Amino acid sequence: MSQSSDTAEKPLVLVADDDPDHCSLIQDFLEESGFRVVTAPDGKVALELYSKLQPDVVLLDVETPEGLDGFSVCDIIRARETVRESSIFIITESEDDESVERAYTLGATDFIVKPIALPVLAHRIRYALRTCRSLNDLRGLIRAVPDLIFIVNAEGEVEEGLSGPDATHTLQLKALTTASQVNFYPCENDDRARDCIKRALETGKPQVYEHSLEGLDIELETRFVARDKNSVLAIVRDITERKNSEEKIYNLAYYDELTELPNRQLFSQSLERTIQIAQRDDEKFAILFIDLDRFKRINDTLGHSIGDELLRQVARRLEQCTRSGDSVARLDPTDEDGGIKLARLGGDEFVIILYGIDSEDVVATIASRIISVLTPPFSCEGHQFVVTPSIGIALYPQDGQNGEQLLMNADSAMYRAKFSGRNNYKFYSETMRTKSLHRLDLENEIRKAIDDEQFELYYQPKVDAETWELVGAEALLRWFHPVRGEIGPADFIPVAEETGLIVPIGQWVLREACKQVKVWSTSPAGAVPVSVNISPHQFHADSLYEDVLGAASDADIDPRLLELEITESVLLQDLDNTLIALQRLKDAGVSLSVDDFGTGYSSLSYLKRFPIDTIKIDRSFVKDLDTDLDDAAICAAILAMSQQLGLNVVAEGVETEEQLAFLRRHGCNQIQGFLCSKPLSVENFSAMLVKIADAASDPRTEDQATA
Ligand code: C2E
Ligand code: MG
Ligand code: MG
């Protein structure tokens, strides 16, 4: 049965007194004052009632004729209490010091001297009840808090432990703390902790202090809160988990998950710091920008898991050459800086900082070492690869004053390294010097060449892979310089591309090729479709469509006899406009092919988006078809996929019968290469056409052909 709210709210007082008159006097008074009262004639009954009723207040008369006296009852009650504390008053005859001392020692809340002043008694009981309640609340709170709580003096010595039994549950410190809470907490020997305590006492503001415990994998956070003038509460929390997740978050933000190297973010920060320190100490440093040659090819053709594994292995090898002890340069700007040496910027790009270098020779030595460290073949999932790097080097301070500039210049030096044959390194300063000189006179020469008609077009036949019949020709630009002799397109096209001169050159090529198509279409051998190379700059020039169709109509040829060869890089820029431009050309009848396929970044599935007719497998894959299993696998994969996508495939640079046999076996449609013919001058190409026409009209050769 539940008690009525009236009685439930009234505090219960147990009065133990062997004097029945005195007892009922107190009872009557207290009941009138709003308490419930039970009485006991001796200590024994008092204890029984206490156990049964759990009163809020106990009044114990010390003097009992026999059995337990008030002190003993108080002692027993306190010992039995687990959580809640009742307020216990000891009633004494006298106010002698000894009794008072004893009462408090045994845990009495207060004592009352006879004769009892009844009106005051009610107030004292109420006051004691209030205090007791607050104390109980506080104790409950401390019990509930999972932190360890100590009272620590100004010297950092632990004076008392306040925490409840649950506090150590979240800490791995249980063993230590149960042995001695005082010993485990070492703040008296820790200057940082003592400073915090001092500040907490001086300012009155809580001070937070993080620390770990020697020999234990535990991170703690202690809050020191001033308690009085000379002591603080030390609230100790186990923050190991929080620290661990903070570390995880940090790693995610600043480290590359794949290689576990610092990422671009961390690298940029470290670079800026390195610049500051180099400035302060008047030191030099170098940035090595490393890019793996043709990594994309491996990734695209053999899958990302192999690509990823390769990058991990490359990272490990690069780490080998950046270990401080192993190096000829000092790599750490300063110990306190924790400056990084090696980072992965993304994709197949890595970067290294070499600090405190005395000469460029040192940097060159390390760059060579990086190349040689990467030279032995890598083995991933049963495949063997040779991966060569191209390294661009920028030096601080001469090649850039800030991180961005340094990185950009190292990057552009890296491109130069690639351009000059891959698997080597280039200093930014050197490349820029030679490049600008070289470019200056080449630029002037090209302008002159256009005016003086030093250019000529050669034509390389394309034949059907099975029948060996002529199916078309590629127009290839030749420059016959009056002094330097013949200059190959690889030497001047990139400069023409960079300077924009490729646009007028390209216009000339288009007009010239179209005129030639017209000439041949009236020859006995019949029309020869011609493909023309269009560079990225030219493709993105506004005039392209008019240039192409204008050249065709001026020469009075069918645009269907014209094919444009573009590179993968064209397709990767400005997708929407590229698509529109290609579709317009296609609608006008012009054929489109992707040149040097496999060297760029696009995949076959990517090509599906564009109105492409043909892809040309790059010569570099065809070259080692017989010897390099990977190249063979790549060619076979390109051919298989192209067939599925309905694309025509031309293999470039076919030089041997073995290559031809392989390409035929895998269904390659057309062949271009020295095995069939080198690029020919107009004169020689025309002569060849005459021969073909003659053979076709000569019944004897026809017999031979069918035989
Ligand atoms: P490309 O368009 O891939 O042309 C094929 C290149 O491979 C030509 O080099 C050709 O001579 C060479 N080649 C063909 N078969 C074989 C072979 O069996 N073995 C070997 N070793 N090489 C073979 P070329 O004429 O030096 O042209 C180089 C590049 O210059 C061309 O590569 C093309 O990208 C560019 N180019 C040539 N003419 C023009 C042009 O008129 N305009 C533009 N924008 N670029 C051009
Ligand atoms: Mg081409
Ligand atoms: Mg090509």
Side-chain angles (χ1 to χ4, degrees):
M1 283 290 280
S2 65
Q3 288 177 298
S4 79
S5 65
D6 187 37
T7 52
E9 276 162 17
K10 284 182 178 174
L12 178 65
V13 183
L14 164 64
V15 183
D17 196 331
D18 59 338
D19 177 348
D21 292 342
H22 196 238
C23 208
S24 63
L25 185 73
I26 296 174
Q27 178 171 22
D28 292 347
F29 174 76
L30 288 180
E31 280 175 352
E32 265 171 43
S33 306
F35 296 94
R36 288 177 295 138
V37 179
V38 286
T39 58
D42 57 43
K44 191 165 164 273
V45 177
L47 277 177
E48 278 166 17
L49 286 173
Y50 174 81
S51 299
K52 209 165 106 192
L53 302 172
Q54 297 281 309
D56 302 290
V57 182
V58 183
L59 302 186
L60 296 170
D61 193 348
V62 178
E63 313 296 333
T64 42
E66 58 202 58
L68 298 163
D69 66 4
F71 291 120
S72 309
V73 175
C74 175
D75 195 18
I76 294 168
I77 290 177
R78 287 299 185 226
R80 281 188 194 167
E81 273 175 337
T82 48
V83 179
R84 201 188 74 136
E85 266 191 47
S86 308
S87 300
I88 303 176
F89 289 80
I90 304 263
I91 303 168
T92 57
E93 290 291 345
S94 56
E95 202 173 323
D96 65 301
D97 285 351
E98 202 188 319
S99 300
V100 171
E101 180 70 30
R102 207 171 150 212
Y104 283 130
T105 311
L106 292 172
T109 311
D110 207 348
F111 69 94
I112 300 164
V113 184
K114 282 182 186 173
I116 297 172
L118 286 174
V120 181
L121 178 65
H123 288 297
R124 284 177 73 175
I125 290 178
R126 281 203 197 90
Y127 179 77
L129 274 173
R130 265 210 311 278
T131 315
C132 186
R133 247 179 235 132
S134 316
L135 213 59
N136 283 340
D137 286 349
L138 201 63
R139 288 206 179 93
L141 202 68
I142 289 177
R143 270 162 196 283
V145 170
D147 304 338
L148 290 175
I149 303 172
F150 306 109
I151 295 172
V152 176
N153 67 19
E155 278 68 51
E157 294 157 356
V158 175
E159 294 194 327
E160 199 182 325
L162 296 181
S163 9
D166 290 345
T168 52
H169 284 184
T170 52
L171 294 163
Q172 302 167 45
L173 303 167
K174 203 166 174 102
L176 285 166
T177 51
T178 43
S180 161
Q181 289 196 329
V182 178
N183 284 346
F184 103 91
Y185 195 65
C187 47
E188 36 180 329
N189 303 319
D190 185 333
D191 289 343
R192 255 188 336 128
R194 281 209 311 273
D195 281 351
C196 282
I197 294 171
K198 207 170 143 220
R199 265 201 307 281
L201 289 171
E202 278 167 9
T203 61
K205 289 187 185 135
Q207 302 292 319
V208 180
Y209 155 68
E210 288 184 5
H211 55 122
S212 51
L213 285 186
E214 239 181 68
L216 288 172
D217 217 1
I218 299 170
E219 299 281 342
L220 298 176
E221 175 196 85
T222 297
R223 264 162 210 282
F224 293 111
V225 184
R227 179 173 169 265
D228 52 38
K229 267 192 252 164
N230 301 311
S231 65
V232 292
L233 285 181
I235 303 157
V236 188
R237 179 168 293 188
D238 183 345
I239 53 164
T240 315
E241 246 173 65
R242 192 186 85 199
K243 281 276 163 193
N244 286 347
S245 44
E246 274 171 12
E247 194 183 311
K248 256 187 222 144
I249 291 167
Y250 180 87
N251 283 346
L252 280 177
Y254 289 109
Y255 285 85
D256 166 40
E257 255 190 299
L258 184 69
T259 59
E260 290 171 2
L261 291 180
N263 65 13
R264 183 183 283 272
Q265 193 83 11
L266 185 55
F267 172 75
S268 305
Q269 288 178 11
S270 182
L271 181 56
E272 292 304 333
R273 258 204 326 271
T274 307
I275 291 174
Q276 282 166 12
I277 295 168
Q279 217 163 22
R280 184 191 71 193
D281 299 349
D282 201 16
E283 282 275 16
K284 295 175 181 160
F285 70 90
I287 290 186
L288 276 65
F289 195 113
I290 305 164
D291 187 282
L292 304 179
D293 300 329
R294 305 206 171 90
F295 169 75
K296 203 76 193 166
R297 193 180 105 188
I298 292 169
N299 216 23
D300 286 350
T301 46
L302 295 168
H304 287 273
S305 84
I306 289 184
D308 285 355
E309 177 53 28
L310 183 61
L311 288 173
R312 271 192 288 266
Q313 290 188 25
V314 167
R316 296 293 85 83
R317 288 200 197 173
L318 288 175
E319 266 174 344
Q320 278 172 30
C321 27
T322 50
R323 264 187 224 125
S324 320
D326 186 39
S327 177
V328 284
R330 273 183 294 125
L331 291 158
D332 272 329
T334 62
D335 283 344
E336 93 263 9
D337 169 67
I340 59 160
K341 309 152 196 168
L342 170 65
R344 178 177 172 228
L345 296 184
D348 58 346
E349 291 172 353
F350 295 86
V351 68
I352 291 177
I353 298 178
L354 299 178
Y355 189 79
I357 41 158
D358 301 324
S359 73
E360 291 190 9
D361 292 350
V362 171
V363 186
T365 308
I366 294 179
S368 307
R369 183 185 302 173
I370 291 170
I371 292 174
S372 60
V373 158
L374 294 179
T375 301
F378 290 86
S379 140
C380 311
E381 297 182 16
H383 296 264
Q384 294 257 319
F385 309 101
V386 173
V387 174
T388 57
S390 291
I391 305 174
I393 302 165
L395 302 172
Y396 176 87
Q398 61 262 47
D399 294 340
Q401 292 297 312
N402 59 47
E404 205 182 330
Q405 208 174 25
L406 281 169
L407 203 59
M408 217 170 69
N409 290 343
D411 185 31
S412 89
M414 184 277 290
Y415 270 100
R416 282 278 133 185
K418 265 200 196 311
F419 195 68
S420 60
R422 303 168 200 262
N423 199 26
N424 63 12
Y425 61 87
K426 281 264 179 274
F427 282 88
Y428 174 74
S429 44
E430 169 196 287
T431 63
M432 290 309 109
R433 259 200 314 275
T434 51
K435 190 184 146 199
S436 47
L437 257 184
H438 186 61
R439 182 201 268 188
L440 201 71
D441 53 1
L442 202 59
E443 209 180 311
N444 290 333
E445 299 275 6
I446 292 172
R447 287 182 198 282
K448 205 161 167 317
I450 298 175
D451 297 339
D452 294 357
E453 298 181 356
Q454 294 167 11
F455 289 125
E456 198 174 307
L457 283 186
Y458 269 46
Y459 293 88
Q460 187 174 29
K462 276 187 287 182
V463 297
D464 184 290
E466 290 303 327
T467 64
W468 221 238
E469 271 169 31
L470 183 74
V471 289
E474 175 173 6
L476 293 163
L477 190 56
R478 295 291 175 264
W479 181 3
F480 294 99
H481 190 276
V483 181
R484 294 202 205 183
E486 185 178 337
I487 305 173
D491 290 327
F492 69 88
I493 298 274
V495 180
E497 176 74 9
E498 275 177 52
T499 53
L501 285 169
I502 195 70
V503 176
I505 295 176
Q507 287 165 343
W508 179 85
V509 171
L510 277 167
R511 279 196 306 274
E512 205 58 26
C514 288
K515 276 190 238 165
Q516 196 57 55
V517 169
K518 180 71 188 174
V519 173
W520 285 330
S521 61
T522 53
S523 78
V528 181
V530 166
S531 47
V532 171
N533 292 287
I534 303 290
S535 78
H537 191 118
Q538 204 185 343
F539 184 86
H540 294 293
D542 292 337
S543 60
L544 180 76
Y545 182 83
E546 281 70 33
D547 290 346
V548 173
L549 274 301
S553 82
D554 287 352
D556 186 28
I557 63 158
D558 184 345
R560 276 174 296 190
L561 289 174
L562 202 56
E563 180 176 65
L564 303 185
E565 294 190 7
I566 54 172
T567 56
E568 287 167 273
S569 61
V570 166
L571 302 177
L572 292 169
Q573 293 166 20
D574 193 6
L575 185 79
D576 293 341
N577 285 322
T578 301
L579 202 57
I580 293 169
L582 290 175
Q583 195 58 54
R584 266 184 94 199
L585 289 163
K586 179 90 186 143
D587 292 343
V590 178
S591 302
L592 301 168
S593 76
V594 177
D595 205 357
D596 306 340
F597 185 80
T599 56
Y601 296 96
S602 58
S603 61
L604 275 166
S605 56
Y606 183 77
L607 287 190
K608 270 199 309 195
R609 307 169 182 211
F610 301 98
I612 299 294
D613 306 281
T614 298
I615 62 166
K616 299 184 76 172
I617 304 180
D618 188 60
R619 185 151 55 91
S620 60
F621 300 109
V622 175
K623 198 171 116 240
D624 299 322
L625 213 47
D626 324 329
T627 48
D628 188 328
L629 287 179
D630 293 327
D631 281 346
I634 291 166
C635 279
I638 295 177
L639 284 162
M641 278 191 73
S642 309
Q643 280 156 18
Q644 276 178 13
L645 296 171
L647 289 168
N648 180 45
V649 183
V650 179
E652 291 182 328
V654 181
E655 294 184 357
T656 67
E657 291 290 348
E658 288 78 13
Q659 291 164 351
L660 176 66
F662 180 96
L663 292 161
R664 277 182 170 160
R665 244 195 343 272
H666 288 87
C668 182
N669 309 92
Q670 292 168 10
I671 301 294
Q672 180 181 350
F674 296 172
L675 181 64
C676 169
S677 167
K678 291 202 166 184
L680 302 171
S681 63
V682 170
E683 199 183 7
N684 288 338
F685 198 97
S686 302
M688 182 194 70
L689 287 180
V690 171
K691 266 195 212 153
I692 293 173
D694 286 351
S697 61
D698 185 340
R700 281 171 305 159
T701 44
E702 220 172 341
D703 282 345
Q704 274 168 9
T706 43

